[in-house]
Amino acid sequence: MGWIIALAVIVLVVLWLVGIYNQLVRKRTMKDEAWSGMDVQLKRRYDLIPNLVETVKGYAGHEEKVFTDVTEMRSRAMGATGVADKAAAENQLNGTLKTLFAVAEAYPELKANTNFLDLQAKLADLEDQIQMARRYYNGTVRDYNIMCETFPSVFVASMFGFKKAEFFELAGAEEREAPKVSFDNK
């Protein structure tokens, strides 16, 4: 009779381990799928940037440093690997894109160009998609990390090599602040 109880306890422990392991695999797969979705949105933006640069270049050809910086940051972001490197490269690319739009502001005929306006609208839409993908990715990372770090699943996670994942975060405090809008005509 004692061996039946021992066998039942062993079966329950094994079933518990299998259940937690499967939950960890499910969470890791969701995290990886979310990263893939983020990567797709970032690639769409990378594909749009050369068209945007060429359009601005047609009106502001003498702003060569801005175009070189945007192209360089785009290449760096495309080549970045890992979440932290990708986030850092994306933050640098965002900074150079802001400079490109600042240059565009100085050319009223460019701001009225329908091709530029269309590209600007597509980029704004892509930025919204990237923000949603980043939120979804960070949410799946949060759930995965909680599963990896809470009792009792922390034992199963460490036993099978499940590691804490990185969040895709904004680099600096200036990225977290809302932009300042002024209607002064000074």
Side-chain angles (χ1 to χ4, degrees):
M1 182 69 149
W3 65 272
I4 293 177
I5 293 174
L7 182 63
V9 168
I10 290 172
V11 167
L12 286 175
V13 168
V14 168
L15 288 175
W16 173 80
L17 285 172
V18 168
I20 289 183
Y21 177 82
N22 287 340
Q23 286 180 8
L24 285 164
V25 169
R26 190 175 305 113
K27 301 259 187 223
R28 182 180 58 197
T29 303
M30 288 179 68
K31 172 191 66 77
D32 293 345
E33 182 268 333
W35 179 253
S36 175
M38 175 105 103
D39 214 27
V40 166
Q41 297 305 325
L42 293 173
K43 172 144 180 30
R44 288 179 61 204
R45 183 171 65 173
Y46 301 151
D47 292 345
L48 182 67
I49 288 172
N51 296 332
L52 190 60
V53 168
E54 287 302 315
T55 302
V56 175
K57 210 184 263 191
Y59 287 88
H62 61 282
E63 304 280 358
E64 196 60 40
K65 180 169 177 7
V66 173
F67 305 133
T68 304
D69 289 349
V70 170
T71 303
E72 181 183 319
M73 288 303 127
R74 175 185 175 262
S75 296
R76 193 175 294 168
M78 288 175 68
T81 57
V83 176
D85 290 341
K86 188 70 112 174
E90 282 301 315
N91 286 320
Q92 290 175 334
L93 179 59
N94 284 339
T96 58
L97 285 174
K98 287 177 185 176
T99 304
L100 181 68
F101 283 114
V103 166
E105 287 293 317
Y107 297 90
E109 62 277 0
L110 172 61
K111 291 188 331 187
N113 179 289
T114 56
N115 188 34
F116 177 73
L117 292 173
D118 181 50
L119 290 170
Q120 198 174 23
K122 284 181 182 175
L123 186 62
D125 182 53
L126 279 172
E127 294 298 334
D128 289 343
Q129 296 294 325
I130 290 168
Q131 180 185 24
M132 286 188 289
R134 181 174 53 222
R135 258 189 264 145
Y136 178 68
Y137 171 76
N138 284 341
T140 60
V141 166
R142 177 201 61 225
D143 294 346
Y144 172 77
N145 286 348
I146 288 170
M147 186 80 184
C148 287
E149 295 178 331
T150 56
F151 180 82
S153 59
V154 66
F155 299 117
V156 178
S158 63
M159 196 178 350
F160 290 103
F162 289 89
K163 306 262 188 266
K164 185 176 175 183
E166 295 180 68
F167 290 99
F168 193 94
E169 298 179 297
L170 298 173
E174 68 278 355
E175 290 286 330
R176 289 180 178 87
E177 293 177 13
K180 297 192 177 16
V181 178
S182 174
F183 294 105
D184 293 338
N185 289 332
K186 296 178 184 178

